[in-house]
Amino acid sequence: MLITIPDLLDPRTLAECRNRLAAATWIDGRATAGPISATVKNNRQLDPTGRDAIEIGGEILAALHRDPTFLSATLPLRILPPMFNAYGPGESFGIHVDNAVRNAPGDPTRIRADVSTTVFLSDPDEYEGGELTIETPFGAQSVKLPAGHAVVYPSTSLHEVAPVRSGERIASFFWIQSMIRDEGERTLLFDLDQTIQDLRLRDGEGDPHAVRLSFVYHNLVRRWAET
């Protein structure tokens, strides 16, 4: 399931994040790559233990917890602190899959990466190339969203960032361990929840069909959730 989330960051938060990132110091992105990914990774990252990454990441986490689409699509149990990368001309990240188990720097707690998220912090007209391409059962999907928008997709997916030809592409990326490990089950729950929300908007909070579907939804979560 590949879901785009428009306007995850409001204009004020987005502007603050961009201003801080413009003045930040970047390091070689291979510092946080696994041995295979490092061979195809050519970008820059913020030091994930630095003040900028921690504070800007906190703003993004706060926005995530306010966004009903993100919560419905991912059903998060744990979210790794957001990280940040930058791609200039000639930089790219070749085809790869994210590590199955990850931990935040300096934190021994390890989580299973079920869902990957990218929050775009540069507008598409600020750089050429740099598309995030994700392989899905229906073919490769190319994603290049406005600043402040996000995309979530299964961490099991092969994906890549195409070479940037000009300008600079800046984004945040991170991983979620979902309460629902199975991607197919997460997709069913997301579709069911969206249907419930549509019924509530159309027919009101007390609509009996929405109530009955909510009964089904929450009992499926009870059956499938790992906490």
Side-chain angles (χ1 to χ4, degrees):
M1 178 174 62
L2 187 156
I3 300 292
T4 59
I5 302 174
D7 300 315
L8 175 71
L9 301 181
D10 62 66
R12 179 194 62 80
T13 302
L14 176 62
E16 290 178 356
C17 291
R18 286 171 57 99
N19 288 339
R20 291 193 65 169
L21 291 169
T25 299
W26 299 83
I27 63 174
D28 190 330
R30 288 172 292 188
T32 60
I36 296 177
S37 294
T39 65
V40 295
K41 188 176 187 180
N42 177 25
N43 66 6
R44 289 157 289 135
Q45 288 183 193
L46 286 191
D47 178 353
T49 65
R51 180 177 177 181
D52 285 328
I54 292 170
E55 293 183 356
I56 302 171
E59 294 280 355
I60 291 176
L61 286 173
L64 295 174
H65 288 295
R66 293 191 298 265
D67 192 280
T69 302
F70 173 81
L71 297 174
S72 179
T74 65
L75 291 169
L77 178 63
R78 300 181 183 89
I79 304 175
L80 278 175
M83 300 172 70
F84 300 86
N85 56 24
Y87 295 80
E91 295 180 322
S92 64
F93 196 167
I95 194 78
H96 65 284
V97 67
D98 294 332
N99 291 348
V101 178
R102 312 192 66 99
N103 63 285
D107 184 344
T109 304
R110 299 172 69 80
I111 78 164
R112 185 185 66 246
D114 296 320
V115 183
S116 299
T117 300
T118 295
V119 181
F120 290 80
L121 299 172
S122 299
D123 276 314
D125 61 1
E126 295 183 273
Y127 60 99
E128 294 185 0
E131 297 84 0
L132 172 63
T133 300
I134 303 162
E135 293 192 6
T136 79
F138 307 102
Q141 302 292 312
S142 182
V143 184
K144 189 173 182 179
L145 300 177
H149 291 35
V151 60
V152 299
Y153 58 95
S155 298
T156 53
S157 305
L158 285 167
H159 57 283
E160 64 181 324
V161 176
V164 169
R165 297 188 296 274
S166 65
E168 187 172 50
R169 175 195 190 273
I170 298 177
S172 177
F173 63 100
F174 49 93
W175 297 272
I176 299 101
Q177 180 173 332
S178 176
M179 291 185 289
I180 309 298
R181 178 198 294 256
D182 183 81
E183 166 63 14
E185 292 171 356
R186 280 200 311 275
T187 300
L188 288 172
L189 289 169
F190 177 74
D191 289 341
L192 181 55
D193 184 51
Q194 296 306 294
T195 300
I196 293 167
Q197 302 313 315
D198 289 344
L199 285 172
R200 292 171 64 192
L201 285 173
R202 189 188 72 182
D203 299 325
E205 294 289 339
D207 174 64
H209 299 95
V211 172
R212 179 63 61 178
L213 287 177
S214 294
F215 162 83
V216 175
Y217 174 86
H218 287 288
N219 281 303
L220 285 175
V221 173
R222 286 187 182 94
R223 180 180 292 269
W224 292 337
E226 302 175 10
T227 60

